[in-house]
Amino acid sequence: MVSLILVVFDSLAIKSAFADSDALKTIGKSPLNAASIAAGIVAGTPIAIVRKTGRQYMGCVKEFKKDSNTYKFWGAVYSAPVAVTAGLIKGAIYGPKNALHYSVDKPFSKDAFSLGDLEENMPAKPGTKTNLNSNPDKPETQPWGTPR
């Protein structure tokens, strides 16, 4: 009986502590976000692999567009294994990355399943610095010290 009273008292104390903060809302969304991340990784990674493979292949084939037909043919033939390898690697990276990045803000959205834009540079969240080495007083320099 005493343990039941302690459990009820503790739950009331926890609810009153979180009453005026957004932490309770965040805790309530955690299972939804976790399910979205898991589903996004399982379903979104193969989608990202296929999409990245196609984009890699088209990018490789475009390299030969000004060459003769012989180079175009052999370029298309030899671009396939390169595109498959690069697509597997990049898709295996971007699938979970999209699931983790987009499931927090928009669970089960098309971006969480790698169906949106697969841009290499995801949009930065507001308030974050994109270039940590920038100094407005000094010009940016290359590693060997000459200005750009």
Side-chain angles (χ1 to χ4, degrees), residues 2 8 24 28 49 81 95 123:
V2 174
V8 170
L24 191 60
I49 289 172

Side-chain angles (χ1 to χ4, degrees), residues 101 104-105 122-129:
H101 181 56
V104 175
D105 297 330
M122 290 189 185
K125 292 188 178 185
T128 58
K129 291 178 76 175

Side-chain angles (χ1 to χ4, degrees), residues 55 67 72 125 137:
R55 287 189 181 173
D67 293 330
K72 286 181 186 177
K125 292 188 178 185
D137 298 332

Side-chain angles (χ1 to χ4, degrees), residues 53-54 56-58 60-61 64 73-88:
T53 300
Q56 286 294 128
Y57 183 73
M58 294 307 296
C60 289
V61 170
F64 298 102
F73 172 76
W74 289 111
V77 169
Y78 288 117
S79 293
V82 172
V84 168
T85 304
L88 278 170

Side-chain angles (χ1 to χ4, degrees), residues 22 34 58-59 113 121 129 143-144:
D22 292 331
M58 294 307 296
F113 289 99
N121 299 324
K129 291 178 76 175
W144 50 87

